[in-house]
Amino acid sequence: MIVRTGKDLCLIGERGAGKSFVARHFARATGYAPVETVFIYSDMTARDLLQRRTTGEDKETLWQPTPLTRAAVSGRLCVLDGIQRLPTGAISALLRLVEDRELTLFDGTRYVRPERYAAMRTELGMSEEELTAKQIFPVHPGFRILALATPPTGEAPWLTNEMLHLFHFFRLSIDLTSEEGREHSTALLQAVVPGLPAEVPHALATFAAAMGNMEADQSNTVSASVSLRLMLRAARRAAIYPTDFYEIVAAGIM
Amino acid sequence: MAHRARPQDPATDEALLAVMGATCSSLSPERAQRLLAFHRALLATGAEALVAVDSVGPSSALQQLMFCSEPGVLSAAKLLHTFPLMPLAEAVSRVYPLEAMYAVRDVGVRAKLEALLSGLAEDAAAGDAAYVVSQSVQMDSDPQHPSIRLEFTPSATAAASGGGGVPRLPSPLEEGSAMQEHHMKLLTEMLQSHAIGIRDQS
């Protein structure tokens, strides 16, 4: 009996907390770089996720594989960026691929898990050519998914029972408003941006913390969070064009 | 012939223990039992919530109570088999991430779940190692299915799928590196989960 003991991975963290950075290092550490990336959007359909329909020069229908399908076929790592935005209809298309490693595409092509493909050959006595003629192919055993998501909220409670059993979950949680968070972002800016004026990292970290506190204030209607990504952008600009702090924030963040 | 719905009971403890025995041979029976006890307690809490909904009225918070599925329990067991010094609670947190669940902002639900998770606490000697990934090496293997060997400290080694490129671990001490200690810890955890693979023959 085949038992699904392992799972694909899902990294949860606030916007700009460094999820893509960690994902890049995971891909490098496993030799999967470069990866296939799918940026999820809220009205994405199963077609957008698996196989897109286009029209050829002779007005004929052409089906094009998406990065997710390419990764499944070639054994690469697919990063699903923003899985919290995936609509219910597309989740059901994803379920079968994640859980069973199987896929039926819109042009009739079927991808089955490698063990099942091998069983078709041995138990049914079908040759590779016969299976190819029937448009049946194996999903590559090296195929993996790394999903990136922001934490679930009341408006987007995406972490449902359905999603819970698809992945192993990891939390990247840095509270930029805390003392530890400020120290962390100051140290990161100093390490990553050479030539940064000495006072800028701490000033940027303090500014980000103040903005974070402002956003936490329920009475404030302005979205004011400053992510690590924005701080890095401002710091890199400040290293090239050292100027006063107002200018650094205005040009690099606002 | 019309399709008919039939109830599907959860797998019995004996069935789950048999699968664990076949796929997770180094997992102690005591830890396996504690994993199953957590799984059963969660199911019982859900069943109680359903009764409450029938008799008292809907409780939206408890309706959102989420379950650690049987594959989730087996997956946690596989982690503990591969990384014997990993605390039980850490293995469960990978498949049942309480801190990330929105529903647990409800105080009542959170209290129930925390009480269940506290049952996973164990003696430090049973499992308290903070593993760190120390090496990732490409293995000579089938070029159609490249694999890597992941080494962790304290001693744990696992073969895992690779992408075919040369694996390279980051160094948090490298000058100019944005990789910090907590990133390295997170990367280690992700590599641990990657190292257990996807499917096993039982």
Side-chain angles (χ1 to χ4, degrees):
Chain A
M1 186 172 72
I2 302 289
V3 184
R4 183 172 170 250
T5 45
K7 290 172 188 278
D8 290 302
L9 314 182
C10 179
L11 179 55
I12 300 174
E14 297 291 349
R15 195 164 45 95
K19 298 185 292 294
S20 303
F21 170 77
V22 175
R24 263 200 309 278
H25 279 288
F26 174 79
R28 283 182 199 153
T30 48
Y32 274 106
V35 301
E36 297 279 1
T37 304
V38 180
F39 293 99
I40 309 283
Y41 47 91
S42 55
D43 53 354
M44 195 169 211
T45 64
R47 275 189 188 178
D48 298 326
L49 197 59
L50 302 175
Q51 197 175 39
R52 274 192 293 266
R53 184 180 174 177
T54 59
T55 308
E57 285 181 6
D58 298 328
K59 309 283 186 278
E60 79 279 20
T61 292
L62 296 175
W63 293 97
Q64 288 190 329
T66 61
L68 178 61
T69 308
R70 280 202 302 269
V73 174
S74 57
R76 299 176 76 173
L77 176 71
C78 183
V79 175
L80 298 179
D81 196 343
I83 201 168
Q84 78 279 359
R85 289 189 288 264
L86 197 63
T88 317
I91 289 174
S92 57
L94 187 64
L95 279 177
R96 194 161 162 239
L97 181 62
V98 178
E99 282 214 303
D100 302 331
R101 287 292 193 259
E102 299 208 344
L103 198 57
T104 301
L105 297 180
F106 299 94
D107 66 354
T109 308
R110 284 176 62 201
Y111 288 94
V112 296
R113 61 176 176 269
E115 303 87 8
R116 191 165 171 211
Y117 187 82
M120 283 175 167
R121 294 193 62 183
T122 53
E123 291 168 21
L124 302 178
M126 297 176 82
S127 67
E128 199 172 320
E129 290 72 28
E130 285 173 310
L131 288 166
T132 302
K134 288 179 183 290
Q135 289 185 271
I136 300 175
F137 304 93
V139 164
H140 197 287
F143 166 59
R144 294 289 185 274
I145 293 173
L146 172 55
L148 309 181
T150 56
T153 61
E155 293 77 39
W158 61 271
L159 187 53
T160 58
N161 268 317
E162 207 171 32
M163 293 290 267
L164 189 66
H165 65 265
L166 296 185
F167 301 106
H168 271 198
F169 293 91
F170 304 89
R171 187 79 201 266
L172 179 57
S173 52
I174 301 170
D175 178 9
L176 294 179
T177 63
S178 69
E179 184 59 38
E180 190 191 359
R182 279 204 296 276
E183 281 172 19
H184 160 80
S185 40
T186 303
L188 187 129
L189 294 175
Q190 282 167 338
V192 175
V193 187
L196 191 59
E199 70 283 3
V200 172
H202 185 257
L204 270 175
T206 307
F207 174 72
M211 296 296 269
N213 283 328
M214 192 192 291
E215 190 172 66
D217 178 2
Q218 296 291 318
S219 63
N220 194 328
T221 54
V222 180
S223 177
S225 71
V226 175
S227 66
L228 270 175
R229 189 178 291 152
L230 279 177
M231 290 164 71
L232 277 167
R233 187 200 294 169
R236 287 194 176 111
R237 191 183 187 284
I240 300 168
Y241 308 107
T243 177
D244 67 275
F245 188 67
Y246 175 81
E247 186 65 24
I248 289 170
V249 170
I253 295 177
M254 297 304 179
Chain B
M1 187 179 142
H3 292 286
R4 291 177 186 167
R6 291 182 176 81
Q8 173 70 51
D9 291 328
T12 61
D13 282 2
E14 291 72 28
L16 288 173
L17 282 171
V19 176
M20 283 186 199
T23 57
C24 313
S25 53
S26 66
L27 178 66
S28 72
E30 192 263 335
R31 297 187 104 193
Q33 289 289 359
R34 295 184 71 176
L35 263 183
L36 287 179
F38 167 74
H39 171 59
R40 290 281 165 245
L42 198 59
L43 285 178
T45 305
E48 274 174 32
L50 283 178
V51 172
V53 169
D54 285 344
S55 59
V56 187
S59 158
S60 59
L62 277 175
Q63 279 176 336
Q64 289 176 40
L65 184 68
M66 293 196 282
F67 298 96
C68 182
S69 61
E70 285 142 9
V73 172
L74 294 176
S75 196
K78 188 69 193 292
L79 272 175
L80 295 168
H81 160 76
T82 313
F83 302 96
L85 297 175
M86 179 185 284
L88 263 175
E90 188 182 330
V92 169
S93 73
R94 304 275 172 88
V95 292
Y96 195 71
L98 185 72
E99 288 307 319
M101 293 177 187
Y102 184 74
V104 301
R105 293 185 189 190
D106 180 278
V107 177
V109 174
R110 190 182 182 94
K112 274 177 190 286
L113 296 178
E114 281 178 343
L116 294 184
L117 286 166
S118 67
L120 295 170
E122 54 192 344
D123 293 342
D128 65 345
Y131 283 94
V132 177
V133 63
S134 55
Q135 212 170 8
S136 177
V137 186
Q138 197 167 24
M139 289 165 70
D140 291 330
S141 55
D142 177 4
Q144 296 299 314
H145 184 195
S147 57
I148 55 172
R149 189 181 70 246
L150 290 164
E151 293 178 11
F152 298 83
T153 310
S155 178
T157 304
S161 281
V166 177
R168 192 162 62 86
L169 285 179
S171 166
L173 302 175
E174 254 174 42
E175 197 178 336
S177 168
M179 177 61 70
Q180 301 193 335
E181 290 296 333
H182 72 279
H183 290 131
M184 205 62 196
K185 181 174 177 292
L186 186 61
L187 186 63
T188 296
E189 291 171 1
M190 292 169 72
L191 290 171
Q192 283 178 322
S193 289
H194 177 68
I196 67 170
I198 292 286
R199 287 174 195 282
D200 273 308
Q201 193 94 34
S202 81

